[in-house]
Amino acid sequence: MCVAIPGLVKKLKDGKVTVDFNGNEVEAYAGLVNVKEGDYALVHAGCVIQTLKKDEAEEIIELMGGLEA
């Protein structure tokens, strides 16, 4: 099973996005979902699979942070 955590979309160019996962930036394809800079997104296998509202994303990030501790 894979677990996706939300990341913040920093850049959008030529169908690709740069997503910031707590300081780790990853490039992903954005062709499957309508995404824009400033969105929170879930990425799987190099593709954005879903966008999230800011409050939903922050809640998930907080829960995942608690699991790390």
Side-chain angles (χ1 to χ4, degrees):
M1 178 174 85
C2 295
V3 176
I5 60 169
L8 181 62
V9 177
K10 301 293 243 179
K11 297 179 200 170
L12 174 62
K13 184 178 180 182
D14 299 328
K16 289 186 179 181
V17 293
T18 301
V19 184
D20 182 346
F21 295 98
N22 199 24
N24 296 315
E25 292 190 351
V26 175
E27 278 197 358
Y29 291 99
L32 301 174
V33 177
N34 185 16
V35 62
K36 61 188 181 305
E37 290 180 17
D39 283 348
Y40 281 88
L42 298 179
V43 176
H44 177 70
C47 298
V48 175
I49 59 170
Q50 182 178 347
T51 59
L52 300 166
K53 294 179 183 176
K54 182 179 179 180
D55 58 335
E56 294 173 321
E58 288 174 344
E59 183 179 353
I60 293 169
I61 292 167
E62 184 179 330
L63 288 170
M64 296 302 287
L67 292 175
E68 289 179 353

